[in-house]
């Protein structure tokens, strides 16, 4: 069985020929480029910019993730649904009301006709036996027709009553949801307002610092920050990159030691700008 790659102390990664060549190439590109120079104080202030950028990202995420957003969305959806149901119930009630009016008119017409026929029967004047028999038959038929129509009226009245009750119920639901939505919207707007105010202050603080920073350093920082998920510069603390949390091996440490204090050095692993401080451990 072949032997494992030799490892440096403190759990460093294995160093082989290919990695050494890669490190040498990256070292030349990251550590010795003339455009990567900045005063140590400016490099340290880059950490302040990074901290503000992290805070802005946190505020943006918090704003997007406010529970009030979900609450407002849910209430809006429920309210739309209940309003649609209310319109449908109101339509049913209106249709039933018109149907009831028509049915009552039909009953009234039959009742009036039956009353006229009954009046002729009661008078009996100038009515032949045959006409009398026909009138009697029609009165019976009209009585049955009136009874049927009155049943229709009752059935329609029941449906109208049910529709009206449904309208009342849905109206109350809509009113309650509207109140809840108004409250949730107010709370959401208040929360976003606070976050926006803080974001505006952080942005202003950032602008003040950036205005005094070297343009080439900021350009490099912004380029790396976009590629590295919002973190373009990280403190080198106790030989560990606080951007990717990996500890530097001795070869990397020696390369950084050899770099001038005003050179902008970058981590071989993540490519972020490494800011050296008194706690860097080198």
């Amino acid at each position: 069985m072949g032997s494992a790659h030799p490892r440096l102390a403190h759990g460093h990664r294995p160093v082989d020929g290919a990695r050494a060549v890669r490190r040498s190439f990256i070292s030349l590109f990251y550590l010795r480029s003339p455009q990567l120079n900045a005063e140590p104080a400016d490099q340290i202030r880059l950490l302040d910019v990074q901290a503000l950028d992290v805070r802005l990202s946190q505020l943006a995420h918090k704003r997007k993730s406010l529970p009030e957003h979900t609450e407002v969305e849910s209430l809006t959806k429920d309210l739309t649904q209940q309003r649609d149901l209310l319109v449908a119930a109101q339509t049913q009630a209106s249709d039933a009301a018109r149907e009831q009016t028509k049915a009552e008119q039909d009953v009234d017409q039959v009742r009036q006709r039956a009353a006229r026929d009954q009046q002729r029967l009661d008078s009996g004047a100038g009515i032949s036996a045959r006409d009398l028999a026909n009138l009697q038959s029609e009165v019976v038929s009209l009585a049955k027709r009136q009874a049927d129509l009155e049943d229709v009226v009752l059935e329609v009245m029941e449906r109208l009553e049910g529709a009206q009750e449904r309208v009342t119920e849905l109206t109350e639901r809509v009113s309650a949801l509207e109140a809840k939505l108004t409250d949730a919207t107010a709370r959401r707007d208040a929360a976003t307002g606070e976050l926006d105010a803080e974001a505006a202050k952080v942005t202003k603080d950032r602008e003040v610092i950036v205005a005094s920073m070297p343009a080439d350093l900021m350009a490099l920082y912004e380029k790396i920050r976009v590629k590295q998920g919002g973190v373009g510069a990280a403190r080198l603390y106790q030989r560990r990159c606080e951007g990717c949390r990996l500890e530097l091996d001795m070869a990397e440490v020696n390369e950084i030691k050899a770099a001038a204090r005003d050179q902008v050095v970058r981590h071989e692993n993540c490519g972020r700008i490494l800011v050296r401080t008194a706690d860097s451990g080198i």
Side-chain angles (χ1 to χ4, degrees), residues 150-196:
E150 288 174 345
D151 288 341
V152 171
V153 171
L154 291 174
E155 186 273 330
V156 173
M157 289 177 65
E158 290 177 356
R159 283 194 287 113
L160 176 58
E161 183 179 355
Q164 290 173 334
E165 290 177 353
R166 179 68 170 161
V167 167
T168 299
E169 176 188 353
L170 289 170
T171 299
E172 292 175 353
R173 288 186 189 178
V174 167
S175 297
L177 285 171
E178 287 175 340
K180 290 181 179 179
L181 180 58
T182 298
D183 175 69
T185 301
R187 285 186 282 107
R188 180 202 62 187
D189 292 346
T192 55
E194 291 179 1
L195 294 173
D196 289 345

Side-chain angles (χ1 to χ4, degrees), residues 2 21 65 76 106 110 116 126-127 132 144 156 171 174 183 187 192 205-206 208-209 225 248 278 281:
V21 172
S65 304
T76 300
D106 291 342
V110 170
R116 288 195 300 270
I127 301 176
L132 183 61
K144 183 178 183 305
V156 173
T171 299
V174 167
D183 175 69
R187 285 186 282 107
T192 55
D205 292 342
R206 185 186 192 277
V208 170
I209 298 176
R225 186 169 71 90
L248 279 62

Side-chain angles (χ1 to χ4, degrees), residues 99-116:
E99 190 176 349
Q100 179 181 337
T101 298
K102 177 62 169 58
E104 289 174 343
Q105 289 174 346
D106 291 342
V107 169
D108 190 55
Q109 289 176 355
V110 170
R111 184 183 294 114
Q112 291 177 13
R113 183 174 177 181
R116 288 195 300 270

Side-chain angles (χ1 to χ4, degrees), residues 74-88 166 170 173-174 177:
S74 178
L75 287 170
T76 300
K77 181 179 179 180
D78 291 344
L79 181 56
T80 298
Q81 182 182 40
Q82 294 302 314
R83 281 174 173 168
D84 289 343
L85 292 174
L86 176 57
V87 170
R166 179 68 170 161
L170 289 170
R173 288 186 189 178
V174 167
L177 285 171

Side-chain angles (χ1 to χ4, degrees), residues 218-236:
M218 288 308 306
L220 176 62
Y221 165 77
E222 292 292 357
K223 182 178 179 180
I224 299 172
R225 186 169 71 90
V226 171
K227 291 182 178 180
Q228 295 295 338
V231 179
R235 183 172 64 147
L236 176 60

